[in-house]
mmCIF file of all heavy atoms in Angstrom:
data_model
loop_
_atom_site.group_PDB
_atom_site.id
_atom_site.type_symbol
_atom_site.label_atom_id
_atom_site.label_comp_id
_atom_site.label_asym_id
_atom_site.label_seq_id
_atom_site.Cartn_x
_atom_site.Cartn_y
_atom_site.Cartn_z
ATOM 1 N N VAL G 281 -10.384 -10.595 11.152
ATOM 2 C CA VAL G 281 -9.468 -10.040 10.153
ATOM 3 C C VAL G 281 -9.733 -10.657 8.779
ATOM 4 O O VAL G 281 -9.786 -9.956 7.758
ATOM 5 C CB VAL G 281 -7.999 -10.271 10.586
ATOM 6 C CG1 VAL G 281 -7.037 -9.988 9.437
ATOM 7 C CG2 VAL G 281 -7.660 -9.391 11.785
ATOM 8 N N MET G 282 -9.911 -11.974 8.750
ATOM 9 C CA MET G 282 -10.136 -12.654 7.476
ATOM 10 C C MET G 282 -11.507 -12.324 6.884
ATOM 11 O O MET G 282 -11.678 -12.322 5.662
ATOM 12 C CB MET G 282 -9.993 -14.168 7.649
ATOM 13 C CG MET G 282 -8.565 -14.626 7.897
ATOM 14 S SD MET G 282 -7.442 -14.263 6.506
ATOM 15 C CE MET G 282 -6.510 -12.895 7.174
ATOM 16 N N ARG G 283 -12.475 -12.044 7.732
ATOM 17 C CA ARG G 283 -13.780 -11.607 7.211
ATOM 18 C C ARG G 283 -13.626 -10.282 6.447
ATOM 19 O O ARG G 283 -14.241 -10.091 5.392
ATOM 20 C CB ARG G 283 -14.776 -11.425 8.357
ATOM 21 C CG ARG G 283 -15.377 -12.702 8.903
ATOM 22 C CD ARG G 283 -16.645 -12.384 9.676
ATOM 23 N NE ARG G 283 -17.052 -13.431 10.572
ATOM 24 C CZ ARG G 283 -17.698 -14.542 10.199
ATOM 25 N NH1 ARG G 283 -17.972 -14.749 8.916
ATOM 26 N NH2 ARG G 283 -18.055 -15.448 11.094
ATOM 27 N N TRP G 284 -12.829 -9.378 6.984
ATOM 28 C CA TRP G 284 -12.619 -8.109 6.283
ATOM 29 C C TRP G 284 -11.859 -8.342 4.976
ATOM 30 O O TRP G 284 -12.197 -7.761 3.938
ATOM 31 C CB TRP G 284 -11.851 -7.121 7.166
ATOM 32 C CG TRP G 284 -11.683 -5.794 6.479
ATOM 33 C CD1 TRP G 284 -10.566 -5.307 5.863
ATOM 34 C CD2 TRP G 284 -12.701 -4.800 6.284
ATOM 35 N NE1 TRP G 284 -10.807 -4.079 5.316
ATOM 36 C CE2 TRP G 284 -12.116 -3.734 5.561
ATOM 37 C CE3 TRP G 284 -14.037 -4.700 6.671
ATOM 38 C CZ2 TRP G 284 -12.818 -2.599 5.201
ATOM 39 C CZ3 TRP G 284 -14.740 -3.561 6.314
ATOM 40 C CH2 TRP G 284 -14.142 -2.526 5.585
ATOM 41 N N MET G 285 -10.875 -9.205 5.021
ATOM 42 C CA MET G 285 -10.116 -9.533 3.818
ATOM 43 C C MET G 285 -11.051 -10.092 2.739
ATOM 44 O O MET G 285 -10.953 -9.715 1.562
ATOM 45 C CB MET G 285 -9.026 -10.551 4.164
ATOM 46 C CG MET G 285 -8.131 -10.949 3.012
ATOM 47 S SD MET G 285 -6.831 -12.062 3.633
ATOM 48 C CE MET G 285 -6.241 -12.753 2.099
ATOM 49 N N LEU G 286 -11.975 -10.955 3.137
ATOM 50 C CA LEU G 286 -12.942 -11.529 2.197
ATOM 51 C C LEU G 286 -13.831 -10.438 1.604
ATOM 52 O O LEU G 286 -14.096 -10.427 0.394
ATOM 53 C CB LEU G 286 -13.800 -12.588 2.894
ATOM 54 C CG LEU G 286 -14.918 -13.208 2.045
ATOM 55 C CD1 LEU G 286 -14.331 -13.957 0.847
ATOM 56 C CD2 LEU G 286 -15.777 -14.151 2.903
ATOM 57 N N GLY G 287 -14.287 -9.515 2.457
ATOM 58 C CA GLY G 287 -15.124 -8.428 1.973
ATOM 59 C C GLY G 287 -14.417 -7.588 0.927
ATOM 60 O O GLY G 287 -14.997 -7.234 -0.109
ATOM 61 N N MET G 288 -13.134 -7.270 1.172
ATOM 62 C CA MET G 288 -12.383 -6.450 0.226
ATOM 63 C C MET G 288 -12.075 -7.223 -1.067
ATOM 64 O O MET G 288 -12.042 -6.638 -2.145
ATOM 65 C CB MET G 288 -11.076 -5.956 0.856
ATOM 66 C CG MET G 288 -11.277 -4.962 1.996
ATOM 67 S SD MET G 288 -12.202 -3.464 1.507
ATOM 68 C CE MET G 288 -13.873 -3.885 2.062
ATOM 69 N N MET G 289 -11.871 -8.530 -0.952
ATOM 70 C CA MET G 289 -11.637 -9.347 -2.137
ATOM 71 C C MET G 289 -12.874 -9.434 -3.019
ATOM 72 O O MET G 289 -12.796 -9.376 -4.240
ATOM 73 C CB MET G 289 -11.260 -10.783 -1.716
ATOM 74 C CG MET G 289 -9.805 -11.052 -1.655
ATOM 75 S SD MET G 289 -9.564 -12.839 -1.471
ATOM 76 C CE MET G 289 -7.840 -12.855 -1.049
ATOM 77 N N SER G 290 -14.030 -9.597 -2.385
ATOM 78 C CA SER G 290 -15.242 -9.922 -3.130
ATOM 79 C C SER G 290 -16.067 -8.704 -3.521
ATOM 80 O O SER G 290 -17.041 -8.842 -4.264
ATOM 81 C CB SER G 290 -16.107 -10.907 -2.330
ATOM 82 O OG SER G 290 -16.362 -10.426 -1.031
ATOM 83 N N TYR G 291 -15.673 -7.514 -3.045
ATOM 84 C CA TYR G 291 -16.436 -6.319 -3.403
ATOM 85 C C TYR G 291 -16.320 -6.066 -4.907
ATOM 86 O O TYR G 291 -15.240 -5.941 -5.439
ATOM 87 C CB TYR G 291 -15.946 -5.093 -2.622
ATOM 88 C CG TYR G 291 -17.092 -4.205 -2.207
ATOM 89 C CD1 TYR G 291 -17.697 -4.355 -0.972
ATOM 90 C CD2 TYR G 291 -17.615 -3.257 -3.080
ATOM 91 C CE1 TYR G 291 -18.774 -3.570 -0.590
ATOM 92 C CE2 TYR G 291 -18.692 -2.473 -2.714
ATOM 93 C CZ TYR G 291 -19.267 -2.625 -1.474
ATOM 94 O OH TYR G 291 -20.342 -1.865 -1.114
ATOM 95 N N GLY G 292 -17.463 -6.015 -5.569
ATOM 96 C CA GLY G 292 -17.489 -5.802 -7.009
ATOM 97 C C GLY G 292 -17.689 -7.074 -7.811
ATOM 98 O O GLY G 292 -17.900 -7.024 -9.024
ATOM 99 N N LEU G 293 -17.629 -8.255 -7.141
ATOM 100 C CA LEU G 293 -17.817 -9.509 -7.868
ATOM 101 C C LEU G 293 -19.276 -9.717 -8.276
ATOM 102 O O LEU G 293 -19.553 -10.368 -9.276
ATOM 103 C CB LEU G 293 -17.351 -10.703 -7.015
ATOM 104 C CG LEU G 293 -15.843 -10.876 -6.861
ATOM 105 C CD1 LEU G 293 -15.546 -12.125 -6.051
ATOM 106 C CD2 LEU G 293 -15.155 -10.963 -8.212
ATOM 107 N N THR G 294 -20.206 -9.199 -7.470
ATOM 108 C CA THR G 294 -21.625 -9.313 -7.800
ATOM 109 C C THR G 294 -22.225 -7.924 -7.945
ATOM 110 O O THR G 294 -21.670 -6.936 -7.459
ATOM 111 C CB THR G 294 -22.391 -10.092 -6.706
ATOM 112 O OG1 THR G 294 -22.265 -9.393 -5.463
ATOM 113 C CG2 THR G 294 -21.846 -11.501 -6.554
ATOM 114 N N LYS G 295 -23.379 -7.867 -8.568
ATOM 115 C CA LYS G 295 -23.982 -6.573 -8.868
ATOM 116 C C LYS G 295 -24.387 -5.825 -7.609
ATOM 117 O O LYS G 295 -24.197 -4.616 -7.479
ATOM 118 C CB LYS G 295 -25.204 -6.785 -9.769
ATOM 119 C CG LYS G 295 -25.678 -5.531 -10.460
ATOM 120 C CD LYS G 295 -26.680 -5.858 -11.548
ATOM 121 C CE LYS G 295 -27.041 -4.605 -12.322
ATOM 122 N NZ LYS G 295 -28.002 -4.879 -13.402
ATOM 123 N N ASP G 296 -24.949 -6.556 -6.631
ATOM 124 C CA ASP G 296 -25.440 -5.868 -5.434
ATOM 125 C C ASP G 296 -24.434 -5.858 -4.279
ATOM 126 O O ASP G 296 -24.632 -5.179 -3.276
ATOM 127 C CB ASP G 296 -26.765 -6.487 -4.964
ATOM 128 C CG ASP G 296 -26.630 -7.965 -4.602
ATOM 129 O OD1 ASP G 296 -25.498 -8.489 -4.627
ATOM 130 O OD2 ASP G 296 -27.663 -8.591 -4.306
ATOM 131 N N ASN G 297 -23.333 -6.644 -4.397
ATOM 132 C CA ASN G 297 -22.301 -6.700 -3.347
ATOM 133 C C ASN G 297 -22.854 -7.125 -1.993
ATOM 134 O O ASN G 297 -22.274 -6.796 -0.952
ATOM 135 C CB ASN G 297 -21.600 -5.332 -3.204
ATOM 136 C CG ASN G 297 -20.696 -5.037 -4.375
ATOM 137 O OD1 ASN G 297 -19.884 -5.858 -4.758
ATOM 138 N ND2 ASN G 297 -20.858 -3.868 -4.967
ATOM 139 N N ARG G 298 -23.959 -7.856 -1.995
ATOM 140 C CA ARG G 298 -24.589 -8.214 -0.724
ATOM 141 C C ARG G 298 -23.666 -9.062 0.148
ATOM 142 O O ARG G 298 -23.472 -8.782 1.335
ATOM 143 C CB ARG G 298 -25.899 -8.965 -0.972
ATOM 144 C CG ARG G 298 -26.737 -9.191 0.296
ATOM 145 C CD ARG G 298 -27.987 -9.979 -0.001
ATOM 146 N NE ARG G 298 -27.670 -11.327 -0.455
ATOM 147 C CZ ARG G 298 -27.366 -12.329 0.381
ATOM 148 N NH1 ARG G 298 -27.327 -12.126 1.692
ATOM 149 N NH2 ARG G 298 -27.092 -13.524 -0.083
#
Side-chain angles (χ1 to χ4, degrees):
V281 167
M282 290 297 106
R283 282 199 199 281
W284 182 258
M285 182 176 164
L286 176 63
M288 293 302 98
M289 264 191 192
S290 53
Y291 219 93
L293 286 183
T294 60
K295 196 168 186 179
D296 61 5
N297 288 310
R298 189 182 64 81

